[in-house]
Amino acid sequence: MATLPMARPVFVSPRGEPPSETLRARLAATRALTLALSAPLGAEDMAAQAIEEASPTKWHLAHTSWFFETFVLTRFLPFYELFDSAFGYCFNSYYDCAGARQPRPKRGLLSRPPLERVLAYRRHVEAGLERLFDQGVAAKGEAASLIELGVQHEQQHQELMLADILALFAANPLRPAYRAAPPRSLGGAAEPLRWIGYAGGIVRIGRDLGEGFSFDNETPRHDALIHPFAIADRPVTNGEWLEFVEDGGYRDPSLWLSDGWAAVEREGWEAPAYWERRGDAFLAMTLEGLRSPEPAAPVAHVSFYEADAFARWTGARLPTEFEWEAVAAEEPVAGNLLDGGALRPTPPAESFEGHPRQLFGDVWEWTGSAHLPYPSYRRPAGAIGEYNAKFMCDQHVLRGGCCVTPQGHIRASYRNFLYARQRWLFAGLRLARDVSR
Amino acid sequence: MATLPMARPVFVSPRGEPPSETLRARLAATRALTLALSAPLGAEDMAAQAIEEASPTKWHLAHTSWFFETFVLTRFLPFYELFDSAFGYCFNSYYDCAGARQPRPKRGLLSRPPLERVLAYRRHVEAGLERLFDQGVAAKGEAASLIELGVQHEQQHQELMLADILALFAANPLRPAYRAAPPRSLGGAAEPLRWIGYAGGIVRIGRDLGEGFSFDNETPRHDALIHPFAIADRPVTNGEWLEFVEDGGYRDPSLWLSDGWAAVEREGWEAPAYWERRGDAFLAMTLEGLRSPEPAAPVAHVSFYEADAFARWTGARLPTEFEWEAVAAEEPVAGNLLDGGALRPTPPAESFEGHPRQLFGDVWEWTGSAHLPYPSYRRPAGAIGEYNAKFMCDQHVLRGGCCVTPQGHIRASYRNFLYARQRWLFAGLRLARDVSR
Amino acid sequence: MATLPMARPVFVSPRGEPPSETLRARLAATRALTLALSAPLGAEDMAAQAIEEASPTKWHLAHTSWFFETFVLTRFLPFYELFDSAFGYCFNSYYDCAGARQPRPKRGLLSRPPLERVLAYRRHVEAGLERLFDQGVAAKGEAASLIELGVQHEQQHQELMLADILALFAANPLRPAYRAAPPRSLGGAAEPLRWIGYAGGIVRIGRDLGEGFSFDNETPRHDALIHPFAIADRPVTNGEWLEFVEDGGYRDPSLWLSDGWAAVEREGWEAPAYWERRGDAFLAMTLEGLRSPEPAAPVAHVSFYEADAFARWTGARLPTEFEWEAVAAEEPVAGNLLDGGALRPTPPAESFEGHPRQLFGDVWEWTGSAHLPYPSYRRPAGAIGEYNAKFMCDQHVLRGGCCVTPQGHIRASYRNFLYARQRWLFAGLRLARDVSR
Amino acid sequence: MATLPMARPVFVSPRGEPPSETLRARLAATRALTLALSAPLGAEDMAAQAIEEASPTKWHLAHTSWFFETFVLTRFLPFYELFDSAFGYCFNSYYDCAGARQPRPKRGLLSRPPLERVLAYRRHVEAGLERLFDQGVAAKGEAASLIELGVQHEQQHQELMLADILALFAANPLRPAYRAAPPRSLGGAAEPLRWIGYAGGIVRIGRDLGEGFSFDNETPRHDALIHPFAIADRPVTNGEWLEFVEDGGYRDPSLWLSDGWAAVEREGWEAPAYWERRGDAFLAMTLEGLRSPEPAAPVAHVSFYEADAFARWTGARLPTEFEWEAVAAEEPVAGNLLDGGALRPTPPAESFEGHPRQLFGDVWEWTGSAHLPYPSYRRPAGAIGEYNAKFMCDQHVLRGGCCVTPQGHIRASYRNFLYARQRWLFAGLRLARDVSR
């Protein structure tokens, strides 16, 4: 492992505020982007559900509209008429307070309503929102807050749409590509990893309402105590992961958590999701079809169990979410995000200048922290209270966004969360280690 | 139960030969009908798989083409080029000798190839078959036999397509109709059931090769011994089934086989598949959407377990497949089949004149017989040997075809088979009973 | 395969009547034998349940007493007091009409009542039965019939006790022996199999009430039609099975039924149950501990799926139960049964004199027949109607008894039945084949 | 909810050091107590395994001996001979580095070795340990550390033995009592709950090696930041839980975590484990058999999901493990523990004097904290590294010990952990809430 430059442990304010366009403009842009992302897909592609945790594209298109209809239009737009009273059952995701719903593993059976009708649903809802803006209701107060939430919610589903399509195409024997792309040079190995040290102390974590949009699970802003640590200047790469595979990392129980080893044995894991052995090498299924993994690009599609075992193999560990946020709060919110169009993790663009690279974008980074409420967290009232709060159990925090996270959606305080076993999102890891004072 | 007219126990030759058109004409008509059956469906409807035993319409369209390509064209048409070498994996159903294949429960993930490409596949295969006929190869010998098998195979999939679509639409919260239809009068109760007696004796069962097309599991023609019995003049009706439900039939373990009672408890069965309680009554999902069950129409979508329990409740039993065939061999092969266009079981058209009615069409009739090889049965060589022979274990014979069985496909000796728990086909029952000599 | 001497196809009356001792004496002897069979076991051995289909010895000891208490004493013995009113729940096996019961997979949790109390229960019930005989009630009429049934029932459980203990000890890492035994010579290969031909025709199958004891599923005696066939003079041996294993029999799907191949893949079967690979050879767990399989002894502990695949591998088939009974009806009911004390299948004692050997004892022989009701079968009234009738679905008939079947319990018409996947009983097979007239 | 006296937030040193007897004396006493706890049980009781997470008593007796044999005797006692080389397989719990082992769900199949042989194993190991002390090896250095660990380990299994026996007897239809006891007065409701406030700040958490025995997961001692909070003066009682049940707590998804609600629906939970409805009331299975729950005693046998839902129902929350430890560090380590002999949670003995009561003993208290490594935690080398470290994922910390925790085993820094769904231990909860500064 590389040398350890002890460095600057100042922790200031969060970054990554959404751009200053108006809410109305951002809403329109977000709705348009969602549709644009579905353009390469046929109606059949948009209807299928690869795995229980993924959803059909069409369902995403409808659910993000249902969200505005249910939480905004029916409350704030007088005389709003539901597009179809059966859609609540079809497109409610998990809001118990919004009533019964299509069982999650059966979203792929919703061949009806057909795509065109879902597109009409989108337009119907958008027309309603337009009216709300025209009436001056939407730009302020609770309506504005809920529309902002709807925009952020839809951005989350933009990312999910791409991850879910990848899961579908990876399960298809034709291994189709979401997007055609010419062959490209694989590039060489990554530069050796460098450690950046932080002194620890009391840091401010999270966001307060009023500091710009944040989800409830990022609140309230509060003090946290962190201890001196060092963090890697970049995520773990495909090349490093291949060494782990070839060193027998998937066959040595001493590297694994108990539940992780059980998953290895039960699922027969031998490499990240979407890696397929071809003789001595691996190909990986991507949004551009089957490709050789780029050695210097961050590894993706690993579970928490794998990330944890890899870190143990190196003698390091995962950072806590507090360490991660303290580091990231000092850095610009920029990176390989959806708007850049790479649609895959890539080697770092920036050169190392004492700062961690690739914190934002490329891959979500598993942390060692459980998804728990912050001190004095208050569950929001009503349906929105189900947004994150009921998932604060046995899930693990990931930070930083990935190559399919929309620009403007991510920030240092953003807390994503998954079950330890899940691999279908673009999730990788960055190493950390203790530093004795 | 009604009186028992002892009647004519003569058993002669099988019926139901396919019409005398040429093989080429029947092939063309069959291929065209398959396509026509898919016409009311959108691409999304054709891609989804409701349950493990059902398949997407698109898969049926492709598989029936793969069958001709694999077992006919690659063997008999010189220089035939596979349409797509990956399709074997996608569209092989269960032929181990034809190689690896898409896991059965994941046929609904095949959003690719898209529908248009499957339609092109159909045309490519049809063009190959045309050439085979043009070359004079297809009309005789093994090629003709295999093309005949392919036609019969495709007819089986025509029926499956409709049953599978019903399963899909029944799982859709919108309960869409495959075909729109105006309301119709429900009609009254069925006439009382009448018993028709048969004297028993040695009967000829099955078909020999050369007697017209038959599947291997109908061969060889052989003697069987049956004992005096009586059989109902018509299937059990919806009205009678409702009495069973209301009498607590689904709550009394003494009526059920042990495995059947376990299924009732595990699955929570309270009525046939697709019946939904609405207050005191039931609606049933059909190809025309949710409808009130017609009291005098045969009940459908019951498992063997339910058929057996119902029979016990009445004090009767299911007929053996030998009894059924002995009876049916005397009757014309006619009834409410696919070509009649009802697409649902209907009350009997004919009046009772001492003959059993509705033997063919309306509903497959569960028999009390296990699907076992006939005496001196020989498993065919090669892939065709997998057609039926490997399913001769723990499945139950059904006879007579149903309302979505193509005309010309059914005959007295035809043996369909299902697992006892299965309900998605149009399967009902006809009662039988012992008669003391 | 060996030559085919066409031989004597006469089919007369059943054999195997229980010995002529009085019912009272047989009851006492049966009860004593049950206890004696448990003697080598500790209380802990008697309390454990290895697999769902097996039961603890202690449960067998109690259940066979509960059977007499419930179906005989409470009905026929005035003022009989239940030993413990909670025992009905504990020791009812599957009689829905006798009330709720301990779930079958949880019989091993019944550490209470302890063994001593179960033994006291046995004595209490036996005292009641003694009184019934003293009062002259037990020797005739329905009471006598039910006591006879109880004796036969207890004999069935004697066999199960030993099979269940073997399952338990095979799952124990110490591989303990039920009975110590010195090493013995393995002996050589079996003599080549010989075929014995039968002409077919109408045969009498089953038993009528009044011909001596039989279970309801053997009734009524009736005509059946069989076709010319030949049957092997002895069961398939361990040596022959080893050839099947070494020829890749467990790796070739073309040999297997579809459900059978699924079982091979799901369970990882590579050999009969209880065989363990040791380098190039196999050891087999037996009631005498781990032993090398005797080449000339009948193979045991194979499922129906395996028996069927083996037969297909040889080009032969399993006999139907009617063929088997027709053959066995001509032979003396004698063989390697429980009372002989071998407790394992052994090479044939008799030399070949044109007669099939080892029909009775050694191993239950899987037939190709489903466990279905005979023509005009009547389900007995009341609880006894649950004895066999509710299992007439998806089970397979085995014939002939095995090395742990009590003397006097088996006969040519006896129908045992198991699910196709089950392997814990001493079940093997005998080959048959068609003979053209 | 009651008034909130703001109180003393001083946090000093840990308590609960093991008594000052010598290690040898404590070892002997611990071994003797384990045996004494098994005295009321028969050999059959000691062999059965009620649920996958529980183990048979006999297995506990053997495993705690295997632990000394494997980690102490084979390393430190020259010429030590294994009692039985097969016991490693039988009695290894989960140490991958110690080799293969009996699958956890099949511990109940180990009828062999029988109890007497396990008792002989215990004596054999104890004799070895005696020799180690005689040779002067055991009293210091690594051997002493490992013997101390073995003593602590055995104390953990003492608690498990009683919890596991309760699970077994609760699954037995006779509902046997581990210990007979006369009826007792149920007592009245608990005094109203009082809140005790703490000011927050930096507190010292955990233990350092050298401060007296602790498990690795309590190390290292480190600073943690806590925020002002209040904690209840006593655990939640049976009486309060009954209110929750009657208020529909188990039927309102808005009170539950998403995974918790799924558990409620899947498992059909309506009350704590071992509660059985009798008309309008409940009985609870205890070590003294079925009893009416005492209203003022702490509720036990609830899952984390239930504890969390209950807290939400009251408007409060669970304390973090850091809050709990900060509070408990100030209190004497005393309470209703195993040595007191109550064997059940009881109403508080002490009266309220501004201090929290029942922190130690009665019930383990679920905290809101995940079982994660402390800052700078080092996984111990070798097998001991598997003791706790591999379970630091998706488990939840419980604090304070319970009514069957041995005296001297518990302390303020002690971290127990369970999966959120588990209910078979004596686990309850204490409420906490935020306090604004």
Side-chain angles (χ1 to χ4, degrees), chain D residues 19 25 71 87 129 140 144 150-151 192 218 263 267 286 325 357 370 398:
Chain D
F71 298 125
F87 279 22
L129 289 166
K140 58 182 191 294
V151 168
E218 300 167 57
E267 308 291 341
T286 72
E325 183 170 339
R357 296 173 293 175
L398 303 100

Side-chain angles (χ1 to χ4, degrees), chain C residues 75-421:
Chain C
R75 287 185 55 199
F76 295 99
L77 187 59
F79 310 112
Y80 176 73
E81 280 190 47
L82 290 180
F83 181 74
D84 187 321
S85 62
F87 279 21
Y89 185 91
C90 296
F91 300 121
N92 178 359
S93 53
Y94 55 65
Y95 296 87
D96 285 310
C97 72
R101 57 196 173 278
Q102 179 76 350
R104 171 154 206 146
K106 304 204 165 180
R107 290 179 183 166
L109 302 190
L110 295 170
S111 67
R112 306 286 176 93
L115 178 59
E116 310 82 56
R117 190 154 163 79
V118 165
L119 296 177
Y121 182 36
R122 285 186 73 81
R123 290 189 298 268
H124 177 86
V125 166
E126 287 161 10
L129 290 166
E130 287 297 316
R131 262 179 292 149
L132 215 54
F133 276 103
D134 291 345
Q135 294 171 9
V137 176
K140 58 182 190 297
E142 195 182 355
S145 293
L146 286 166
I147 292 170
E148 178 67 53
L149 181 65
V151 168
Q152 299 283 342
H153 170 260
E154 184 145 350
Q155 289 182 312
Q156 293 182 310
H157 281 274
Q158 290 169 348
E159 171 169 341
L160 289 171
M161 275 169 57
L162 290 171
D164 294 358
I165 275 294
L166 178 53
L168 179 65
F169 284 177
N172 188 303
L174 307 182
R175 302 285 188 277
Y178 169 77
R179 176 174 75 180
R184 72 174 73 85
S185 152
L186 283 184
E191 288 176 59
L193 178 156
R194 296 185 193 83
W195 293 101
I196 306 172
Y198 291 84
I202 300 264
V203 296
R204 294 291 287 169
I205 293 293
R207 299 253 282 191
D208 274 328
L209 300 173
E211 288 191 90
F213 178 82
S214 63
F215 286 108
D216 60 295
N217 66 344
E218 301 167 57
T219 66
R221 190 155 168 80
H222 66 282
D223 285 345
L225 176 62
I226 60 176
H227 300 266
F229 70 101
I231 200 163
D233 71 313
R234 57 160 178 77
V236 169
T237 64
N238 286 318
E240 289 162 342
W241 201 274
L242 189 60
E243 288 180 52
F244 175 66
V245 171
E246 291 177 347
D247 192 45
Y250 282 90
R251 295 191 304 273
D252 178 359
S254 77
L255 296 174
W256 294 77
L257 290 163
S258 179
D259 290 349
W261 185 245
V264 167
E265 296 205 309
R266 185 180 62 241
E267 307 291 340
W269 288 345
E270 298 181 338
Y274 308 150
W275 284 34
E276 305 180 17
R277 195 177 279 281
R278 290 290 190 276
D280 286 345
F282 285 94
L283 295 180
M285 182 63 185
T286 74
L287 289 169
E288 296 174 346
L290 270 175
R291 295 265 168 159
S292 290
E294 290 168 274
V299 69
H301 303 298
V302 297
S303 62
F304 174 81
Y305 299 134
E306 291 162 288
D308 173 86
F310 181 93
R312 188 165 294 108
W313 175 70
T314 68
R317 61 169 172 83
L318 300 176
T320 68
E321 64 167 323
F322 309 108
E323 292 167 343
W324 195 99
E325 183 169 339
V327 169
E330 291 306 294
E331 307 294 335
V333 179
N336 172 17
L337 294 158
L338 176 60
D339 308 65
L343 301 190
R344 66 182 202 286
T346 55
E350 326 99 281
S351 62
F352 177 69
E353 297 178 7
H355 286 257
R357 296 173 293 174
Q358 299 175 287
L359 282 166
F360 296 100
D362 286 306
V363 289
W364 287 101
E365 300 181 12
W366 287 105
T367 71
S369 297
H371 183 231
L372 293 174
Y374 282 166
S376 298
Y377 169 74
R378 296 269 163 240
R379 192 173 189 160
I384 304 305
E386 298 189 56
Y387 201 99
N388 289 308
K390 73 182 182 183
F391 303 108
M392 290 179 173
C393 181
D394 296 342
Q395 303 211 37
H396 299 255
V397 174
L398 302 101
R399 294 293 196 127
C402 73
C403 56
V404 294
T405 303
Q407 190 87 35
H409 183 69
I410 194 66
R411 58 197 160 269
S413 62
Y414 196 106
R415 304 173 83 196
N416 197 356
F417 48 90
L418 289 174
Y419 289 106
R421 68 176 182 273

Side-chain angles (χ1 to χ4, degrees), chain C residues 40-45 47-50 58 86-87 89-90 102 108-116 168-169 171-174 176-177, chain D residues 40-45 47-50 58 86-87 89-90 102 108-116 168-169 171-174 176-177:
Chain C
L41 302 173
E44 296 156 78
D45 299 326
Q49 178 179 28
K58 184 173 72 174
F87 279 21
Y89 185 91
C90 296
Q102 179 76 350
L109 302 190
L110 295 170
S111 67
R112 306 286 176 93
L115 178 59
E116 310 82 56
L168 179 65
F169 284 177
N172 188 303
L174 307 182
Chain D
L41 302 172
E44 296 157 79
D45 299 326
Q49 178 179 28
K58 184 173 71 173
F87 279 22
Y89 185 91
C90 296
Q102 179 76 351
L109 302 190
L110 295 170
S111 67
R112 307 287 176 93
L115 178 59
E116 311 81 56
L168 179 65
F169 284 177
N172 188 303
L174 307 181

Side-chain angles (χ1 to χ4, degrees), chain A residues 6 211 278:
Chain A
M6 289 299 289
E211 288 191 90
R278 288 290 189 278

Side-chain angles (χ1 to χ4, degrees), chain B residues 18 76 178 191 214 227 239 251 255 282 287 311 324 329 382 386 400:
Chain B
F76 295 99
Y178 168 78
E191 290 175 58
S214 63
H227 299 266
R251 295 190 306 273
L255 296 173
F282 284 94
L287 289 168
W324 195 97
E386 298 189 56

